[in-house]
Amino acid sequence: MAQYPARQTLNASGRAVVPGLVDPHTHAVYAGDRVAEFELKLQGANYLDILASGGGIASTARAVREASVAQLVAETRPRLDEMLRLGTTTAEIKTGYGLTTASELAMLAAIAELDQTHPLELVPTFLGAHAIPPEYKTDPDGYAQLVIKEMLPQAAEWYTNSHFAQQGIPFFNDVFCEQNAFTLAQARAVLEAGLAHGLRPKIHADEFNALGGVRLAIELGAISADHLDVTTAEEIALLGTAETIAVPLPAVNFHLGSHHFANARGLVEAGAAVALATDLNPGSAPCPSMPFVMALACRYQKLLPAEALNASTINAAHAIGLGHRLGSLEVGKQADVLILAAADYRHLVYQFGGNLVQTVIKRGQVVGK
Ligand code: NIG
Ligand code: FE
């Protein structure tokens, strides 16, 4: 079009062209790994028991507390490289492995530095309420109060002074509402405190136990409710009429060796806006690949390829507040585009285990081939 003269021309004939993938739920910034725990789980140990015994999230928190911002950035950068190669052009990243004010702020600094030095576009989320750290084991309410009174105000101030705020990138406040993590009452208190600082809620709800997190999310106008593995039929119906986006995370079920998956088909039928995400993290989903997540969602959650692509692009962009600018190929939107090594986009979910993404274009620039 004469109105949009090309600086560079790419030949995509015989290739499917789709929007860059958006991963709206990750814990990509962490130190170390949990490969020993993986082996324990293969031998029968369970995720919530490991968490209760001071392992799990708390063990990653030990590694993150010892790491400098530079180390966090260095360990995370190759993960972002891999995500980009697999077609993710925008991702949300949560804190939540610091669990002290200083260490949570260090995670935010790492996210900011990565956003400014890596082509993958990032959206930060504060997740101080991810786990009860060992030093608060006997006083979980005391930790929730630390999150509310000390961490959230400082995180909100960090955001106000960050390039994210200047560029209109939102900042969310998340909580892990689950047995051995945060109760429904604590989750409410943390999310309401975030709202008082202008932070819109997200929630980890119904991963193992249904504690009422979905109703809370809807009541508080959360932008998304994530996991939803054991969400009740009533709450699925509520999500069908709510603005809150439903985000199943099937790589978690897969990694934990479960044969049970969130009812994504039921959510779609109920009228919910469904987005998919990797949940990339060292404990429950060491998975950088949105196409693999889409492949799982089609096979085990009965999404069609078009629904999986929709859930990984435009709906995922809305789940992090960027649907107006990202997530679809439209005049006026940011040119985040993938060229696939296939003529039919359905191959992106039909084939799995390899990488069908041939060319990655971010903000109109080729960033990966
Ligand atoms: O989304 N469920 C809580 N948080 C992460 C897991 C984090 C971890 O195990 O390190 C999740 O699954
Ligand atoms: Fe998560």
Side-chain angles (χ1 to χ4, degrees):
M1 276 189 278
Q3 202 185 339
Y4 302 105
R7 242 177 282 144
Q8 190 187 359
T9 310
L10 298 174
N11 184 354
S13 60
R15 303 277 185 240
V17 174
V18 300
L21 303 176
V22 177
D23 189 344
H25 179 146
T26 87
H27 308 252
V29 171
Y30 59 84
D33 64 58
R34 306 236 291 276
V35 71
E37 228 171 64
F38 172 58
E39 216 163 43
L40 289 177
K41 282 190 287 216
L42 294 179
Q43 293 167 305
N46 132 324
Y47 181 88
L48 285 182
D49 292 343
I50 292 174
L51 179 63
S53 67
I57 294 167
S59 91
T60 299
R62 280 192 288 280
V64 167
R65 285 175 180 185
E66 281 170 21
S68 63
V69 173
Q71 280 168 303
L72 292 175
V73 167
E75 287 203 36
T76 305
R77 194 179 298 283
R79 289 193 273 274
L80 302 191
D81 292 342
E82 183 73 348
M83 291 164 77
L84 193 68
R85 275 195 288 273
L86 290 158
T88 297
T89 49
T90 304
E92 182 256 26
I93 303 185
K94 302 174 195 297
T95 70
Y97 290 125
L99 310 178
T100 63
T101 305
S103 191
E104 287 292 303
L105 289 169
M107 289 192 75
L108 289 170
I111 296 169
E113 184 173 336
L114 286 160
D115 184 54
Q116 290 178 304
T117 57
H118 195 281
L120 220 163
E121 186 170 352
L122 302 177
V123 173
T125 291
F126 174 71
L127 179 58
H130 193 195
I132 310 292
E135 62 275 19
Y136 280 91
K137 198 171 177 184
T138 57
D139 183 20
D141 279 327
Y143 182 69
Q145 284 308 310
L146 180 76
V147 171
I148 290 167
K149 299 227 167 82
E150 189 178 297
M151 290 187 192
L152 264 170
Q154 294 195 35
E157 194 190 334
W158 164 85
Y159 172 66
T160 306
N161 298 319
S162 73
H163 77 277
F164 292 113
Q166 277 143 34
Q167 294 175 3
I169 305 289
F171 185 40
F172 301 104
N173 179 34
D174 198 345
V175 58
F176 184 21
C177 183
E178 182 58 66
Q179 259 174 35
N180 301 344
F182 294 84
T183 65
L184 188 65
Q186 289 163 343
R188 172 185 287 279
V190 167
L191 296 182
E192 285 181 345
L195 278 167
H197 290 284
L199 274 54
R200 195 161 172 199
K202 280 182 169 278
I203 192 166
H204 285 66
D206 301 345
E207 180 176 359
F208 302 104
N209 298 284
L211 303 187
V214 167
R215 273 177 207 276
L216 177 68
I218 293 171
E219 181 196 325
L220 298 182
I223 192 154
S224 74
D226 304 28
H227 282 293
L228 309 177
D229 298 294
V230 295
T231 300
T232 62
E234 291 79 9
E235 285 173 308
I236 287 178
L238 286 177
L239 281 166
T241 56
E243 291 291 308
T244 301
I245 296 181
V247 187
L249 305 167
V252 174
N253 312 84
F254 175 82
H255 182 66
L256 298 182
S258 169
H259 299 271
H260 175 80
F261 289 82
N263 186 2
R265 183 80 248 149
L267 285 160
V268 170
E269 301 302 336
V274 172
L276 291 168
T278 60
D279 198 11
L280 170 58
N281 75 76
S284 70
C287 172
S289 174
M290 284 297 290
F292 180 64
V293 166
M294 294 159 73
L296 289 174
C298 288
R299 284 158 184 80
Y300 294 117
Q301 298 173 300
K302 304 297 170 215
L303 294 191
L304 293 170
E307 291 170 325
L309 185 61
N310 190 67
S312 306
T313 53
I314 187 68
N315 286 9
H318 279 292
I320 50 174
L322 296 178
H324 58 287
R325 176 158 71 74
L326 304 175
S328 55
L329 300 179
E330 287 179 68
V331 172
K333 277 194 155 180
Q334 186 165 295
D336 294 356
V337 183
L338 308 181
I339 303 174
L340 305 182
D344 182 330
Y345 76 92
R346 293 175 298 182
H347 278 263
L348 189 59
V349 291
Y350 163 68
Q351 299 187 41
F352 64 95
N355 186 8
L356 262 275
V357 177
Q358 188 180 66
T359 305
V360 181
I361 298 155
K362 179 67 186 174
R363 298 181 174 101
Q365 305 291 326
V366 174
V367 289
K369 264 194 200 189

